[in-house]
Amino acid sequence: MSGFTWERGPFTRCAKCGQTTMGILSAGGQLLTKRCTNCRATVQIPLPELDKKAIYLDQFMFSMIYNVKNEGNLPKGHEAFAKEVYTLLRRCVLLQQVFLPHSNIHHDETTVFHSPIDLRGLYQFFGGDVSLMDSRDVELLQDIRFAKAYFDAAEPAVSLDIDEIADSRRNEWLPDMHVGVRADYSQFADHIRAVRGEVHDAMKHLADTWIERKATFADVLESEFSAIGPTKKQAFAKWFEEVSNPDPNDPLALLESSGRQIYREYRELCHVLEDRGVDENQQPIEIRKFWHWERHREIPHQRISSYLFAAVARRVVMGEKKIVDRGLLNDVRTISTYAPYVNALFIDKRCAALLKEEPLATELDYKARIFSLADTDEFLDYLSEIERQTSDEVREYAAMIYGTD
Ligand SMILES: [Zn+2]
């Protein structure tokens, strides 16, 4: 064969003209398209069905992968792991067994990373390009399921299937030639840094209160739970105040208003009530009653985050104030929203350790296996097992399309 062809190898025998000129034209989605360079005969082959596992890596892991790829600095003592996990993850992604989802939490953090464009490209190219529903939307989704149960006097049921929150292309074969869109979000970096600073100050203040009161795990858990209703009511009142009296010097503040989330929930709840024929004037009263429903504490994201905060408080009271840092809230949010849906979470060592403490270990229930730099060997074993379980058929197609061996 000489010269340029649209088709690429491996070339097989064409059933129409008999030459060994049947190559790959394209692959992706559910189809492999082959075409003969000689007679242009085209065949479309349906690719085997997939059931990819969701492995959520925190920002730290993506940065590490980025550094392996770009020969940057690797975390001390974990250099060998970094290289090994890079190879194994890439292989599992190309074998179509795994995707490494990205979320709004990554995107916020990526923006403050030194090369945000490249790191974003990495989620898309390396991770299989599946995004998860925004963490706030996941919370809202669960809240609304509980609201429906409350208004219908039914038992709350929240589906924790990954397809509830992952985009629908998760089980597609990756395109054989990946063209990523490079978007630059760095203009948001200052704002994100400022917000994180503010939230961090509020957390430090909370930590001082815990120390002062010598709060116990049970105290903090109970106060987290019983604060759900009042906090929502207060947030809604604050939002209402802000939109009723906007600051004329800062009209954009409305958009950034911390109340946006509570307003969205309120609106959704109004729709739910409307569907149930509840009169408009009666809706705010019903919503307030729902916000004070004691079963709020069973909503997965509320339950997990409350337990984590109680565990953090216990450490703080024991003198470990350092645990409250800039990354803590994002870690808690990542775990409390995504742990029930994904197959595995690779997170910060500190939060992984908290999840292993009692009563969290026995009382919290979520799908994800938890990994961190404290158990790197277990994570490599986990990935190797997934690699081994790949069917021969999928392996053959992956070799043909992506050049895995
Ligand atoms: Zn042919």
Side-chain angles (χ1 to χ4, degrees):
M1 192 111 24
S2 64
F4 172 82
T5 61
W6 288 104
E7 300 81 13
R8 62 178 179 82
F11 288 94
T12 51
R13 191 177 165 279
C14 171
K16 198 173 162 200
C17 71
Q19 308 278 320
T20 312
T21 43
M22 191 54 119
I24 294 177
L25 186 62
S26 68
Q30 326 290 347
L31 284 178
L32 169 66
T33 305
K34 296 187 82 177
R35 192 169 73 177
C36 176
T37 56
N38 183 42
C39 74
R40 299 281 151 142
T42 303
V43 280
Q44 290 201 312
I45 304 164
L47 290 164
E49 269 184 41
L50 302 168
D51 185 19
K52 299 185 191 180
K53 288 191 160 59
I55 300 181
Y56 190 103
L57 304 179
D58 73 359
Q59 182 64 18
F60 166 80
M61 280 290 279
F62 270 113
S63 302
M64 195 176 83
I65 287 166
Y66 177 86
N67 283 338
V68 172
K69 195 163 180 270
N70 296 283
E71 293 175 1
N73 290 330
L74 300 178
K76 281 216 162 37
H78 297 292
E79 293 88 349
F81 167 69
K83 289 177 186 160
E84 208 171 328
V85 83
Y86 174 91
T87 310
L88 206 45
L89 281 169
R90 186 76 190 130
R91 187 163 171 79
C92 288
V93 169
L94 288 181
L95 284 174
Q96 314 299 303
Q97 299 303 300
V98 154
F99 65 97
L100 311 172
H102 51 104
S103 77
N104 62 303
I105 298 172
H106 286 126
H107 299 170
D108 285 357
E109 294 189 337
T110 306
T111 312
V112 288
F113 188 69
H114 56 87
S115 49
I117 303 177
D118 291 341
L119 193 56
R120 274 188 82 100
L122 194 64
Y123 305 134
Q124 287 160 5
F125 175 70
F126 189 88
D129 199 13
V130 176
S131 59
L132 295 182
M133 190 188 273
D134 192 293
S135 58
R136 300 244 179 224
D137 293 339
V138 176
E139 292 172 10
L140 188 57
L141 177 86
Q142 297 179 357
D143 292 348
I144 296 302
R145 294 281 154 81
F146 266 69
K148 287 178 176 166
Y150 175 75
F151 297 133
D152 296 341
E155 195 51 30
V158 177
S159 163
L160 299 171
D161 194 294
I162 183 70
D163 290 323
E164 295 279 330
I165 65 158
D167 81 41
S168 55
R169 297 172 302 123
R170 83 164 167 114
N171 279 329
E172 289 188 354
W173 284 73
L174 296 177
D176 56 332
M177 276 176 288
H178 196 101
V179 185
V181 181
R182 286 156 71 94
D184 185 359
Y185 292 82
S186 52
Q187 70 267 29
F188 297 121
D190 284 343
H191 173 69
I192 289 168
R193 280 198 194 95
V195 170
R196 289 184 79 181
E198 276 170 34
V199 172
H200 181 58
D201 289 345
M203 275 297 295
K204 274 200 302 206
H205 177 73
L206 190 60
D208 288 335
T209 321
W210 288 333
I211 294 170
E212 226 168 85
R213 293 195 341 233
K214 295 193 172 56
T216 66
F217 183 91
D219 291 341
V220 177
L221 185 63
E222 192 45 47
S223 68
E224 282 288 320
F225 281 151
S226 46
I228 298 170
T231 306
K232 292 204 171 193
K233 215 170 79 182
Q234 214 176 32
F236 186 73
K238 185 168 171 277
W239 171 84
F240 193 75
E241 162 90 25
E242 276 170 8
V243 292
S244 310
N245 306 291
D247 179 351
N249 299 316
D250 190 9
L252 281 178
L254 275 182
L255 279 176
E256 294 303 329
S257 151
S258 55
R260 247 190 327 167
Q261 176 72 5
I262 196 73
Y263 175 61
R264 287 182 55 214
E265 179 177 343
Y266 186 83
R267 286 252 323 251
E268 289 279 334
L269 290 171
C270 287
H271 287 314
V272 171
L273 288 165
E274 216 172 271
D275 287 346
R276 282 157 180 75
V278 176
D279 183 75
E280 208 176 312
N281 298 321
Q282 189 62 24
Q283 289 172 4
I285 299 162
E286 290 300 320
I287 289 171
R288 231 168 296 148
K289 276 200 246 163
F290 166 63
W291 280 344
H292 283 86
W293 191 27
E294 82 273 359
R295 295 191 70 177
H296 250 100
R297 60 183 63 189
E298 295 170 32
I299 302 179
H301 74 87
Q302 294 281 13
R303 187 171 165 83
I304 299 171
S305 63
S306 299
Y307 269 78
L308 279 169
F309 280 124
V312 167
R314 180 163 61 188
R315 294 278 190 102
V316 168
V317 172
M318 287 188 318
E320 218 185 297
K321 209 180 157 185
K322 262 200 347 244
I323 197 168
V324 177
D325 65 18
R326 269 160 211 277
L328 179 69
L329 276 183
N330 272 345
D331 292 341
V332 170
R333 167 156 283 155
T334 299
I335 298 165
S336 61
T337 47
Y338 298 128
Y341 299 92
V342 300
N343 298 90
L345 263 179
F346 196 105
I347 48 169
D348 181 77
K349 256 202 270 195
R350 159 193 62 186
C351 283
L354 292 178
L355 288 169
K356 284 188 179 136
E357 290 175 4
E358 290 301 346
L360 292 80
T362 42
E363 289 178 17
L364 289 182
D365 192 20
Y366 45 80
K367 184 193 295 165
R369 275 191 62 181
I370 304 293
F371 299 98
S372 74
L373 282 181
D375 39 30
T376 49
D377 287 347
E378 283 84 346
F379 189 55
L380 293 172
D381 288 346
Y382 174 75
L383 294 175
S384 303
E385 185 55 31
I386 293 174
E387 203 276 346
R388 266 196 299 277
Q389 284 172 359
T390 311
S391 74
D392 289 344
E393 193 192 13
V394 168
R395 234 176 247 282
E396 266 170 46
Y397 278 112
M400 197 190 298
I401 299 168
Y402 315 104
T404 53
D405 47 37

